[in-house]
Amino acid sequence: MKKLICLLSITFLILQSCSSGDNSSETNNDNNSLLERRWYFVSETYQGTTHYPTVCNNNGHRDYVDFLSSNIADFNYVASSTGNNCSDQYSLEKFNWIKNGNTINLKFFGTNVTSETLIITELTSTTLKFTATDATTNNSAERVYSSN
């Protein structure tokens, strides 16, 4: 019986030593593949008030963000900046994104200036939830996006 326990213990130790001790890059790659897609805006909660997106009656368009594999985040809005028209889509601005664990730093496109820091609270193939903190004002908002 002692030999069996000893043999099982040795086998366990050998198997443990063969397993990867650092799965962070694998996990980050999985998370990046989950993040890199089109996300439709569902809601934003700021200072206790929840805001919902504009959906255009004439074409069904709604606000979205594309997280691209080239580390570009392109935020698109259905209402134009003048007149709140829903006939066109426009991009407010492109950002470079850098992900480290559950933190994403958005930097103004082509600069090294951080605009927002996003702390991911949920990331699945259909749901993206994060807390966004503005780098200038330090104000935070909870945002929810859906991939469908």
Side-chain angles (χ1 to χ4, degrees), residues 31-42:
N31 282 342
N32 281 354
S33 66
L34 285 174
L35 182 64
E36 294 167 356
R37 66 187 68 215
R38 179 166 289 178
W39 295 99
Y40 292 97
F41 179 61
V42 173

Side-chain angles (χ1 to χ4, degrees), residues 109-133:
F109 190 72
T111 73
N112 202 24
V113 178
T114 298
S115 167
E116 281 187 319
T117 300
L118 313 178
I119 306 296
I120 298 171
T121 56
E122 182 179 343
L123 177 57
T124 68
S125 62
T126 59
T127 303
L128 170 61
K129 293 181 183 179
F130 57 82
T131 300
T133 303

Side-chain angles (χ1 to χ4, degrees), residues 93-96 105-116 135-136:
E93 198 161 0
K94 290 182 186 279
F95 297 90
N96 290 102
N105 287 313
L106 294 178
K107 296 180 184 250
F108 291 112
F109 190 72
T111 73
N112 202 24
V113 178
T114 298
S115 167
E116 281 187 319
T136 306

Side-chain angles (χ1 to χ4, degrees), residues 21-138:
D22 181 16
N23 291 329
S24 61
S25 63
E26 185 176 72
T27 302
N28 284 339
N29 288 339
D30 288 344
N31 282 342
N32 281 354
S33 66
L34 285 174
L35 182 64
E36 294 167 356
R37 66 187 68 215
R38 179 166 289 178
W39 295 99
Y40 292 97
F41 179 61
V42 173
S43 67
E44 175 182 73
T45 302
Y46 175 71
Q47 295 182 339
T49 303
T50 301
H51 304 276
Y52 299 96
T54 300
V55 177
C56 295
N57 292 330
N58 59 339
N59 58 21
H61 290 169
R62 53 194 171 142
D63 298 348
Y64 67 91
V65 59
D66 286 323
F67 279 97
L68 306 173
S69 61
S70 57
N71 289 78
I72 294 173
D74 190 8
F75 287 81
N76 292 273
Y77 302 90
V78 297
S80 69
S81 59
T82 59
N84 201 24
N85 297 321
C86 276
S87 60
D88 62 340
Q89 289 186 297
Y90 73 99
S91 175
L92 177 63
E93 198 161 0
K94 290 182 186 279
F95 297 90
N96 290 102
W97 62 272
I98 299 169
K99 184 174 175 298
N100 184 8
N102 285 339
T103 302
I104 299 172
N105 287 313
L106 294 178
K107 296 180 184 250
F108 291 112
F109 190 72
T111 73
N112 202 24
V113 178
T114 298
S115 167
E116 281 187 319
T117 300
L118 313 178
I119 306 296
I120 298 171
T121 56
E122 182 179 343
L123 177 57
T124 68
S125 62
T126 59
T127 303
L128 170 61
K129 293 181 183 179
F130 57 82
T131 300
T133 303
D134 184 282
T136 306
T137 64
N138 210 28

